[in-house]
Amino acid sequence: MPTPPPADGAVRPPLTIGGDVLAERLLRERAALVEEVKARLLEEVPYYRMLPREQLAGDITEVVRHNLVLFADVLRRRRPPEGSRLRELAASAVQRAEEGVPVEHVFSAYHVGMRVVWRRVTAGAGPEELPDLVEATVLLLDHLRVLTETVVGAYVHERLQMSGQEQAGRRSVLAALLEGRTPGAEAGGLRLAEAYVVLALAVSAHPDERGEDAGARIAARRKLRRLTGALQEWAPEHTLVALDTGGGTVLLPLDGTEAADAGGTARRVDALVARAALRAGADVR
């Protein structure tokens, strides 16, 4: 629980340890803290040593940086994060779920990171600063609680979505159309297009997919996610995709005008596949 304001409405002085305002210290030392957290992750959570370098330098670094800024704000405001401030952490949890990162490793990473922060927060504390130290520790625990709730909710929701009926239903619709059948109940609320372009795609391996370890599997899933996202830009709600890391089938919906313009549609399809290949970092044919 956040510490209540003074009864007389007076403005409280900022939380201070070792002569430093804690929120300002974290922001001032943010770059060094990000690197320290990443080093501890690689040492203490073996799974992170198998991640592609691109992910460590990009997504993971950004999440660590965002969490540090978020906790500095918690110390400044003296209350746990809420609302839109948690959106980026939820999005990161969704991405970890899509990539198949085990949830226990996701939580280990956050706990390792907050331990590094706690040690920095408490460094140089003297006996006279015990009240601020206690309050900062309570705020850290509250922050970790809210963070855990956010990550659990987003991660579990995404995993359910990935294995849920919606995905199975869309694949059933795709299979029915390829077989020349009119989809029945499996179509659900999906509006069928007047016509479709059928793509049979072969996808090469991304350079980071070499090997049999977890890093290679994550790289393959990242490639698949990027490829699928790029192809669905054709019509986000209506493109039907059945892909694995080696390729598969895609149905691109057309309206009557597009179906009649074979040349224009072919050029759009070629451009779409080229963009998808670039985003996936793999050859797509």
Side-chain angles (χ1 to χ4, degrees):
M1 295 291 292
T3 303
D8 59 5
V11 176
R12 291 176 294 174
L15 294 172
T16 303
I17 298 292
D20 256 345
V21 175
L22 289 181
E24 294 177 1
R25 178 195 293 180
L26 288 185
L27 293 177
R28 187 174 64 247
E29 301 179 4
R30 177 176 51 184
L33 275 169
V34 168
E35 294 306 313
E36 184 178 352
V37 169
K38 287 166 57 180
R40 300 307 300 175
L41 287 178
L42 292 174
E43 182 175 338
E44 298 185 30
V45 188
Y47 196 90
Y48 278 75
R49 294 199 291 270
M50 297 184 285
L51 295 179
R53 290 184 179 180
E54 173 197 8
Q55 189 172 11
L56 286 170
D59 298 342
I60 303 303
T61 296
E62 185 55 37
V63 170
V64 173
R65 184 183 297 115
H66 177 74
N67 195 31
L68 286 171
V69 173
L70 193 63
F71 184 57
D73 189 57
V74 167
L75 293 172
R76 181 183 61 80
R77 297 170 64 243
R78 286 173 139 107
R79 62 177 59 252
E82 56 193 9
S84 61
R85 290 180 170 87
L86 297 166
R87 192 173 298 142
E88 188 167 331
L89 296 182
S92 173
V94 167
Q95 189 167 335
R96 300 291 86 76
E98 289 176 343
E99 294 166 354
V101 178
V103 69
E104 62 268 25
H105 298 309
V106 176
F107 287 125
S108 290
Y110 280 111
H111 281 262
V112 168
M114 293 311 297
R115 189 184 70 230
V116 170
V117 171
W118 185 82
R119 285 177 172 169
R120 186 64 60 98
V121 163
T122 59
E128 71 283 359
E129 295 169 320
L130 181 60
D132 279 7
L133 178 60
V134 170
E135 184 176 351
T137 302
V138 170
L139 286 169
L140 183 145
L141 293 173
D142 280 344
H143 176 73
L144 193 55
R145 171 183 56 80
V146 173
L147 184 153
T148 300
E149 292 171 353
T150 300
V151 171
V152 166
Y155 186 100
V156 171
H157 177 75
E158 181 61 22
R159 293 299 293 181
L160 290 174
Q161 286 289 99
M162 290 170 64
S163 60
Q165 294 181 350
E166 179 180 354
Q167 184 176 4
R170 293 176 72 87
R171 285 182 175 249
S172 295
V173 170
L174 184 148
L177 291 171
L178 290 177
E179 293 169 5
R181 297 186 288 107
T182 300
E186 68 266 33
L190 181 66
R191 181 174 60 84
L192 299 180
E194 297 180 41
Y196 290 89
V197 173
V198 180
L199 300 181
L201 301 178
V203 182
S204 70
H206 187 279
D208 288 337
E209 287 183 67
R210 299 188 184 96
E212 300 294 331
D213 60 10
R217 292 192 295 273
I218 288 174
R221 293 189 186 106
R222 287 169 64 84
K223 177 193 72 177
L224 179 59
R225 176 173 56 83
R226 290 171 176 169
L227 176 64
T228 300
L231 293 170
Q232 287 178 331
E233 289 175 0
W234 177 277
E237 299 299 322
H238 305 291
T239 299
L240 299 174
V241 178
L243 292 173
D244 58 27
T245 57
T249 306
V250 180
L251 299 188
L252 303 176
L254 302 176
D255 60 25
T257 302
E258 292 169 326
D261 181 13
T265 297
R267 287 190 292 273
R268 285 185 61 208
V269 170
D270 288 344
L272 176 73
V273 173
R275 289 196 304 273
L278 183 63
R279 195 172 303 176
D283 291 332
V284 180
R285 299 177 181 176

